[in-house]
Amino acid sequence: MTVLAFGVQTDEKPLLESAFGPDRIRCLDVFLNEDTYPIAAGHEIITSSVNDQLDGTVLRGLAEGGTRMVAQRATGFNNIDLGTAKELGLTIARVGYYSPHSVAEFAWTLAMAVNRRVVRAARRTREFDFRLDGLMGRDMHGATAGVVGTGKIGEAFTRIAHGFGMRLLGWDVRQNPACTELGMEYVGLGELLASADLVSLHVPLLPATHHLLGPGELAAMKDDAILVNSSRGGLIDTEALVVELRKGRFSGVGLDVYELEAGLFFTDRSLEPVEDDTLARLVTFGNVIVTSHQAYFTREAVGQIIETTRRNVEDYRAGRTGENTLTAPAAAS
């Protein structure tokens, strides 16, 4: 039985083939969506990436083609219509855990890159311009870090902030004892945004967190704050963010995710006209860095993701469900 993998990155393919065996998995670089789901016909098991689109139409098409199991190679699953999957009797599994350090460290990479104007400095020195004009940053030591979401990744981010000697503010539906032991004070979101010099987002994208930072929340932040999002693009109202940036607000913004990234990130559009006016405007700001959802992309994290995906597939074949199972036929749940 061959597993069909959608949205496979070049560096990911050999790891998938090693984990499953080259004769047991077929890797595609195309994303799963309404145009590509017919490719899966005849494959009982497929594995999807975070930017594949598994809405009701796609899931019904997969089921009609014989697919019974979807193994998502990601922790998030907001791209999957679980209601329709359950209705169709599909087994959906995800990766419940992988190295939180990969994302937390990259969030800090973005924070320090915008703080110390690293991209601008590197561009200048390539042209032998060694001036320091416009490159002044700030010390993180003694500044206030606001961590929105203090689960495993938020905790890892907090530990790094603690190492910098920062004051720690947190917001979450429940407190993390490991963070409070580091000296974190839990406050309301409004107080956190108004007080923090650095705000980093580490919450999942749910209906309750969609546009968690909208016009009012962004306006409440300090004019010289640094904002980092390495979680999900939909947490920020991007058009509202552009409005604030046009006012000259924020010392720096580092985004590894974008709310309309599906079908765009992980692809080469360098020779095509820019159709997304909001994203085109966003990347023109000198104090903004946008990367293409790569925070998780370390050897350790991707290796854990693939190994968990392999186990999820083996569980399905054995008729088992586990903590990573999101939906399953009633007889197997």
Side-chain angles (χ1 to χ4, degrees), residues 305-323:
I305 289 169
I306 291 173
E307 176 57 24
T308 300
T309 300
R310 186 194 65 78
R311 291 199 305 268
N312 288 341
V313 169
E314 292 303 315
D315 283 344
Y316 165 78
R317 285 172 168 161
R320 298 187 298 264
T321 60
E323 61 182 2

Side-chain angles (χ1 to χ4, degrees), residues 38-310:
I39 301 173
H43 289 85
E44 182 179 343
I45 303 171
I46 70 165
T47 172
S48 56
S49 71
V50 69
N51 272 343
D52 289 321
Q53 299 174 22
L54 290 90
D55 57 19
T57 300
V58 171
L59 290 173
R60 290 188 182 91
L62 290 173
E64 290 172 3
T67 297
R68 305 311 304 160
M69 195 265 182
V70 177
Q72 171 97 325
R73 302 190 311 278
T75 298
F77 49 89
N78 54 283
N79 60 322
I80 305 175
D81 183 343
L82 294 182
T84 298
K86 187 173 183 179
E87 172 190 324
L88 295 169
L90 297 176
T91 296
I92 309 291
R94 64 159 180 163
V95 176
Y97 174 86
Y98 61 86
S99 170
H101 306 291
S102 61
V103 179
E105 290 172 3
F106 193 80
W108 268 107
T109 300
L110 290 175
M112 294 307 295
V114 295
N115 175 38
R116 301 306 299 267
R117 316 293 192 248
V118 173
V119 174
R120 180 181 297 174
R123 286 173 178 167
R124 284 186 183 178
T125 55
R126 283 180 180 273
E127 298 177 357
F128 282 74
D129 179 352
F130 301 105
R131 294 172 300 162
L132 299 183
D133 299 356
L135 301 183
M136 183 175 289
R138 71 172 77 171
D139 287 356
M140 288 291 102
H141 181 83
T144 298
V147 186
V148 180
T150 56
K152 292 182 176 66
I153 297 173
E155 178 187 332
F157 184 92
T158 299
R159 291 188 181 280
I160 298 172
H162 180 263
F164 272 109
M166 303 183 75
R167 177 192 175 207
L168 305 173
L169 297 180
W171 178 84
D172 208 325
V173 292
R174 53 179 157 313
Q175 299 184 11
N176 184 337
C179 292
T180 56
E181 289 178 7
L182 293 171
M184 173 172 280
E185 176 187 358
Y186 280 85
V187 297
L189 182 60
E191 182 178 348
L192 182 150
L193 295 174
S195 303
D197 301 297
L198 165 63
V199 175
S200 190
L201 306 183
H202 302 286
V203 295
L205 180 59
L206 305 168
T209 60
H210 180 255
H211 285 184
L212 184 67
L213 298 194
E217 290 77 16
L218 292 167
M221 293 175 61
K222 291 184 174 181
D223 287 343
D224 62 348
I226 294 171
L227 173 62
V228 173
N229 186 11
S230 58
S231 186
R232 288 292 183 268
L235 299 176
I236 298 177
D237 182 335
T238 312
E239 291 188 3
L241 176 61
V242 169
V243 169
E244 295 302 313
L245 288 165
R246 290 182 63 186
K247 297 177 183 176
R249 301 189 66 238
F250 303 135
S251 176
V253 175
L255 304 175
D256 186 50
V257 288
Y258 173 61
E259 59 181 324
L260 299 177
E261 69 179 61
L264 178 63
F265 279 20
F266 306 149
T267 66
D268 181 2
R269 302 298 180 89
S270 59
L271 299 179
E272 301 177 15
V274 178
E275 297 180 353
D276 189 325
D277 292 339
T278 302
L279 180 59
R281 189 179 303 176
L282 189 63
V283 298
T284 63
F285 293 101
N287 59 335
V288 174
I289 293 178
V290 178
T291 52
S292 52
H293 207 141
Q294 70 179 81
Y296 78 99
F297 208 55
T298 66
R299 288 190 299 270
E300 294 78 8
V302 173
Q304 290 173 327
I305 289 169
I306 291 173
E307 176 57 24
T308 300
T309 300
R310 186 194 65 78

